[in-house]
Amino acid sequence: MTMPPPPQPPQPPFGAYTPVPPMRPEDEKLWATLTHVSGIFTGFIGPLIAYLVVRDRGPFVRAHTAGALNFQLTMLIAGVVGAVLSLIGIGLLILLAVYVLLIVIAIVGAVKANQGQWYNPPVTIRFVS
């Protein structure tokens, strides 16, 4: 006599949302750090991709990816304003300030994220939360 196979857990229906498991704290710190650093090289594209991919994996990584994305979008707007005002001459100073702020605040955010500290970049307009 053969034994029947053990019962299988029910599968969710096709197309149903299956929640993603939360990340471990060290993975959250890694993704938050990478998000801030990617903003230096890719502008708002890197933080946008990170925000869309890992925002539901934990509150720490969500706060850092949203903060990095908001900061990069704010710097993009300031850069466009500086480019337009460069026709007058003052825009070159604005572009220099944007470049310096972009690098310094992204590095500070990456260091804070790597240390496991919550960080909200200054001079940032909140577009996403």
Side-chain angles (χ1 to χ4, degrees), residues 39-116:
I40 296 173
F41 302 108
T42 65
F44 74 95
I45 300 296
L48 175 64
I49 291 171
Y51 178 77
L52 293 175
V53 171
V54 297
R55 69 177 171 205
D56 296 330
R57 302 293 300 271
F60 184 77
V61 74
R62 182 181 183 104
H64 274 275
T65 56
L69 179 58
N70 287 332
F71 176 70
Q72 293 297 328
L73 290 174
T74 303
M75 292 297 105
L76 176 68
I77 292 169
V80 168
V81 169
V84 170
L85 291 178
S86 67
L87 299 173
I88 302 172
I90 189 79
L92 297 176
L93 292 174
I94 294 173
L95 288 174
L96 179 65
V98 165
Y99 183 70
V100 169
L101 274 175
L102 186 96
I103 292 174
V104 169
I105 292 180
I107 290 173
V108 169
V111 168
K112 296 276 187 180
N114 195 28
Q115 293 173 347

